[in-house]
Amino acid sequence: VIERVSDQYRRLSLLEKTVFVVVGDHGEGFGEHGLYVHDDVVFEEALRVPLLLRLPNAERAGQRIAGPVSELAIAPSLIGLAGFEPRDAEYEQGSLFEQPQQPVLYAHCYRSDRCAALIRYPFKLLDHFEERPPELFDLENDPGEENDISDDHPAWVERWSRELAD
């Protein structure tokens, strides 16, 4: 489908004047953590989605942004690519192209009182509120979120759980 759309834009001489954004809205649990849904999952299999940008004239071709980013960064990125600066709106995330450091990212289950996550890459806290204790993962060394390291960092768990509750 993407190839057909690109070919059509090329035929219309619009390809080098157009920014294409391809993004998924959510992942899906296929049993990785015993869950087969997406509504109440804040593990990586539900949060990681494709995000591809194709810029005119092969600008930044092949560039990969390290670490996780938020879909909230898409709008300010596109506004910046168009040569404007957002004035009347505040965005929680800045442009994908101007982030000097990893942003703090938040996610929550469909029912936000059921679970939430805070990512300070490479660390990720999952808080299941009253259902079970919080879990902390090192996504760089444990991308499958199999080894809970919350006992090794109780101060982070306490502070970040309060932040999520707020």
Side-chain angles (χ1 to χ4, degrees):
V1 172
I2 293 173
E3 184 178 7
R4 288 193 319 231
V5 171
S6 296
D7 287 344
Q8 183 177 11
Y9 274 70
R10 187 177 290 108
R11 282 192 304 275
L12 296 170
S13 299
L14 296 173
L15 186 65
E16 296 309 324
K17 299 175 186 175
T18 305
V19 174
F20 290 91
V21 179
V22 179
V23 63
D25 64 343
H26 59 74
E28 188 76 27
F30 290 107
E32 295 90 335
H33 292 92
L35 302 166
Y36 291 89
V37 296
H38 62 260
D39 290 346
D40 288 324
V41 180
V42 286
F43 289 102
E44 291 298 285
E45 60 264 21
L47 297 184
R48 285 188 176 255
V49 296
L51 172 58
L52 305 169
L53 281 81
R54 194 249 182 227
L55 308 180
N57 302 314
E59 184 181 333
R60 297 188 167 129
Q63 180 181 357
R64 184 180 180 99
I65 298 172
V69 298
S70 171
E71 290 180 2
L72 297 173
I74 295 172
S77 301
L78 296 177
I79 291 169
L81 285 171
F84 299 100
E85 289 194 29
R87 285 188 243 158
D88 298 327
E90 291 185 27
Y91 294 94
E92 286 188 36
Q93 300 290 322
S95 170
L96 294 166
F97 309 113
E98 298 171 4
Q99 292 185 0
Q101 59 185 349
Q102 292 295 328
V104 177
L105 303 177
Y106 302 91
H108 62 82
C109 292
Y110 179 74
R111 296 186 314 244
S112 60
D113 62 340
R114 180 132 188 229
C115 59
L118 176 148
I119 302 170
R120 279 193 167 90
Y121 194 78
F123 298 101
K124 178 180 178 183
L125 178 79
L126 300 183
D127 200 332
H128 306 278
F129 304 121
E130 302 301 319
E131 288 189 27
R132 63 181 193 249
E135 299 172 283
L136 182 67
F137 299 99
D138 178 345
L139 297 176
E140 197 166 85
N141 296 307
D142 179 22
E145 297 166 295
E146 297 175 10
N147 302 303
D148 178 8
I149 59 169
S150 58
D151 289 341
D152 299 336
H153 304 282
W156 291 354
V157 170
E158 182 181 338
R159 186 170 61 246
W160 295 349
S161 290
R162 277 196 316 268
E163 187 175 332
L164 275 174
D166 288 345

